[in-house]
Amino acid sequence: MGNCLKSSSPAGGNELARPNNIQRVSDLNGAATYARHVAGLDHTDPAYVDLSSRMCWNAVTRCAEVAGGMLQDSMVVSSNSYDHFIPKLDARRITTAAEMANVPEGSFIGFFDDDTGFIIHAMMATGNGQAAGNKNSCIGIGAHVGWEILNLADNERWNNNGMWCAIFARGHVREISVYYRLDW
């Protein structure tokens, strides 16, 4: 894995057709609206506690369920079972802060470890480069636990290799590939 120094030009993204066996979330704007709403609630509110108690990817799919999109049982995601939501070949890669700023609200955002190929984090785009998620510290920003909205269009987090740079304690840096999918 490379480092997070600004060193070379980013590779272009790729976008392929959505598999036919994937159901679409019926109201992505509604899911993003719910995600924003819950982030602003008191931390004792049942909706806040619900999203904050889930794994990051299951909290994102819960927003879709609440918006009337899919049944939670059909949206099970784990670190090694995510292709039905964001297969890397069926998603658009985000390589710059400007691209992140243009990710449509309601998109499922996946952060991937290039060494293992597994998804390591998920968030929901809420518009203007921001995204809502839980357990965001695994990508180097945000809280360990708690549903929150973060600015992912921060120029300092994207390097010229087209990677998100997660910066942790003691200066440890990890490059992470980021993809999004709108029609999930």
Side-chain angles (χ1 to χ4, degrees):
M1 193 176 329
N3 63 41
C4 282
L5 300 176
K6 310 251 181 208
S7 61
S8 65
S9 298
N14 97 46
E15 192 168 20
L16 298 175
R18 181 178 64 87
N20 292 331
N21 63 340
I22 303 294
Q23 289 181 295
R24 290 178 185 232
V25 173
S26 66
D27 185 0
L28 291 170
N29 288 338
T33 298
Y34 181 73
R36 282 191 298 274
H37 170 73
V38 173
L41 293 175
D42 183 85
H43 293 187
T44 61
D45 187 281
Y48 180 88
V49 172
D50 177 46
L51 292 184
S52 297
S53 67
R54 296 172 183 266
M55 283 301 299
C56 57
W57 36 72
N58 293 328
V60 170
T61 60
R62 174 70 175 147
C63 291
E65 179 190 21
V66 170
M70 299 171 139
L71 297 175
Q72 184 72 23
D73 291 344
S74 69
M75 299 191 296
V76 175
V77 179
S78 71
S79 64
N80 60 1
S81 176
Y82 54 82
D83 277 348
H84 54 298
F85 279 98
I86 189 159
K88 287 168 71 175
L89 293 177
D90 187 40
R92 180 149 182 94
R93 183 155 179 218
I94 306 167
T95 61
T96 66
E99 289 176 4
M100 182 61 225
N102 290 312
V103 171
E105 71 175 48
S107 295
F108 186 104
I109 300 172
F111 296 78
F112 289 85
D113 181 325
D114 281 346
D115 291 338
T116 65
F118 290 153
I119 192 169
I120 57 172
H121 189 55
M123 298 180 81
M124 174 173 285
T126 56
N128 300 315
Q130 297 187 356
N134 181 36
K135 302 179 182 177
N136 297 308
S137 63
C138 68
I139 59 166
I141 62 171
H144 292 299
V145 176
W147 188 254
E148 62 186 344
I149 295 178
L150 300 172
N151 178 8
L152 300 184
D154 175 356
N155 286 318
E156 298 300 316
R157 293 291 179 162
W158 298 94
N159 70 14
N160 285 338
N161 294 325
M163 305 289 278
W164 172 264
C165 294
I167 303 169
F168 300 100
R170 298 185 209 144
H172 173 72
V173 177
R174 180 180 188 184
E175 286 186 336
I176 301 170
S177 296
V178 184
Y179 294 80
Y180 78 91
R181 182 172 178 174
L182 179 60
D183 61 343
W184 56 288

